Amino acid sequence: MTSLGGVEMVDWNLAVTTATRLVRPGPEVTREDARAVVSELRRHAKASEEHVRGFTRMQPEGPAESDTPVLVVDRPGWVRANVAGFRELLSPLLAKMQERRTSGPGGAVLGAVGGKVTGVEVGMLLSFLASRVLGQYETFAPVTRDLPGGPDGGGRLLLVAPNIVHVERELEVAPHDFRLWVCLHEETHRTQFAAVPWLRDHIQGEIQAFLGEADMDPSALLERLREAVQSLTGSRTPATDEEDGAGTDRGSIVELVQTPAQREILGRLTAVMSLLEGHADYVMDGVGPEVVPTVAEIREKFQKRRATGAGRLDQALRKLLGLDAKLRQYREGERFVRAVVEDLGMDGFNRVWTSPNTLPTKAEIGKPADWIARMRS
């Protein structure tokens, strides 16, 4: 574990403990109903494989047993998986911040605060997110007995059962339809990584390059992290520069760590994430009408929920954590995929998976015709 002067920067075990202690248990269900939900999600995940792979014409390489696993988890299970992934992914950034401790006041601040406090703050943020994520393809955490992954060293699909039940009740939609609809979206991500062997390493390499280029003031990062936690507890609403007379938003935590080189990397990452999210939405809409009878109602209600959030505090915290950017990725990416498929057909669109060089740029996501022209040249 990375430390500063013998003091842990992030106590990851405490982050897990804090998050699992603070996260709400989820909607009330009987033990029998809980087992039924888990069983149904597993069936839907399996059925979604055929639906998604038939629609996208994407087939994973190798035998079926080499596929990454599908794990139906509760909220603490999601926390543990993501802490394992963050711990692996952030090690270069924490190591770089360690090097800066002796050369600036920011590192000294982090050292004084210590990993215990930072671990608590990370845990509080994870407890917030753990009650909102319906599903996730997690690719960074190492494979363990409790967290199985693909045979190449990582990757698993997480379906967060209590959150799916909570949202289906909140939206008042047909539970069986909603569960299949969610599985279609998440299975698309699983298929993307299973059918495109280079994708995982490419994204991980880009993220590591982004973190490796970080040239941040650790105290600024700590302040933004604390701001997010205070927003979560209701003791403070994330400030904007407008309140300080500047008239612009302070932005997200991610926006703190941008050197010129990082801005280039972030542009490429934004483009590929927009592609993946938009592709999943497009597939979900394409397959849905055939297998989900109430898909139109679900889509309308879910889109409204996505756009509005749960109130001003929730929206402010989403912005601070960069989650609003993810919502834009769904919309922009889906428009890109739709435009390309309409012009080139599904096989023509699937050229996007040929290599990192055929991925769309951030500009091409906004102008699909430019990507189409590049593929035709």
Side-chain angles (χ1 to χ4, degrees):
M1 185 177 297
T2 304
S3 62
L4 288 174
V7 179
E8 294 174 348
M9 281 194 62
V10 180
D11 186 331
W12 294 110
N13 292 331
L14 184 57
V16 171
T17 301
T18 301
T20 54
R21 178 171 55 85
L22 293 179
V23 72
R24 297 176 181 177
E28 291 188 9
V29 295
T30 65
R31 186 179 298 273
E32 181 180 353
D33 286 342
R35 289 198 187 100
V37 170
V38 170
S39 177
E40 183 173 25
L41 287 173
R42 286 175 176 156
R43 290 197 307 273
H44 283 331
K46 184 62 179 177
S48 294
E49 285 184 20
E50 181 178 351
H51 296 314
V52 168
R53 295 173 186 185
F55 181 80
T56 63
R57 302 178 192 174
M58 297 174 69
Q59 292 295 329
E61 297 184 357
E65 59 268 20
S66 67
D67 262 357
T68 53
V70 177
L71 308 178
V72 182
V73 298
D74 57 10
R75 291 169 177 175
W78 180 89
V79 167
R80 288 190 292 272
N82 277 267
V83 165
F86 291 150
R87 188 173 186 171
E88 183 81 5
L89 191 63
L90 295 178
S91 57
L93 176 62
L94 297 182
K96 189 156 190 172
M97 292 174 69
Q98 178 184 11
E99 294 173 1
R100 293 194 56 171
R101 179 176 186 249
T102 57
S103 61
V109 170
L110 271 178
V113 171
K116 297 295 183 185
V117 174
T118 309
V120 169
E121 291 177 336
V122 170
M124 293 179 72
L125 291 178
L126 286 172
S127 72
F128 168 81
L129 296 172
S131 63
R132 285 157 172 77
V133 176
L134 301 182
Q136 172 191 359
Y137 188 83
E138 201 294 314
T139 186
F140 301 116
V143 174
T144 66
R145 184 180 63 180
D146 296 328
L147 191 62
D152 60 348
R156 71 282 297 164
L157 178 60
L158 307 176
L159 297 171
V160 191
N163 295 350
I164 294 172
V165 173
H166 171 78
V167 173
E168 71 192 26
R169 291 180 179 179
E170 178 186 312
L171 298 182
E172 297 182 337
V173 293
H176 303 297
D177 287 3
F178 184 74
R179 295 167 194 174
L180 177 56
W181 188 73
V182 170
C183 287
L184 289 171
H185 184 279
E186 302 306 333
E187 174 57 33
T188 303
H189 288 315
R190 181 167 172 257
T191 295
Q192 290 163 349
F193 284 90
V196 186
W198 53 264
L199 184 60
R200 174 174 172 263
D201 288 342
H202 173 70
I203 292 176
Q204 187 164 5
E206 291 279 57
I207 293 175
Q208 293 293 0
F210 179 85
L211 296 175
E213 289 286 341
D215 183 19
M216 73 175 68
D217 177 357
S219 63
L221 178 62
L222 182 64
E223 174 59 28
R224 197 58 59 88
L225 178 64
R226 180 161 296 110
E227 203 174 300
V229 171
Q230 290 173 342
S231 304
L232 184 60
T233 61
S235 60
R236 176 180 178 182
T237 298
T240 65
D241 289 338
E242 185 175 359
E243 295 170 358
D244 298 326
T248 57
D249 291 335
R250 289 181 62 174
S252 71
I253 288 174
V254 172
E255 291 168 340
L256 277 176
V257 287
Q258 289 188 45
T259 64
Q262 280 183 302
R263 279 191 285 273
E264 292 185 14
I265 299 169
L266 188 60
R268 296 195 297 268
L269 276 170
T270 299
V272 71
M273 297 312 295
S274 297
L275 172 68
L276 298 180
E277 297 292 0
H279 184 236
D281 266 13
Y282 178 80
V283 172
M284 185 168 57
D285 286 347
V287 176
E290 296 183 5
V291 297
V292 182
T294 59
V295 64
E297 177 191 0
I298 291 173
R299 183 68 157 151
E300 180 182 0
K301 290 182 176 181
F302 192 77
Q303 286 286 66
K304 182 177 180 180
R305 181 182 186 273
R306 236 188 212 174
T308 59
R312 183 170 179 267
L313 176 61
D314 184 75
Q315 291 177 28
L317 189 55
R318 286 192 326 192
K319 179 174 178 58
L320 190 60
L321 296 175
L323 300 182
D324 277 354
K326 186 176 177 68
L327 298 181
R328 290 194 298 273
Q329 288 169 9
Y330 283 103
R331 295 192 297 268
E332 295 171 359
E334 194 276 338
R335 285 195 293 267
F336 171 85
V337 175
R338 185 173 300 279
V340 173
V341 173
E342 288 177 355
D343 193 306
L344 302 180
M346 187 63 73
D347 290 335
F349 166 79
N350 281 341
R351 290 184 62 189
V352 78
W353 311 116
T354 304
S355 75
N357 293 328
T358 57
L359 291 172
T361 65
K362 186 177 180 181
E364 287 171 338
I365 287 289
K367 295 182 178 180
D370 290 353
W371 183 85
I372 293 170
R374 179 158 67 92
M375 293 301 103
R376 283 174 169 161
S377 62

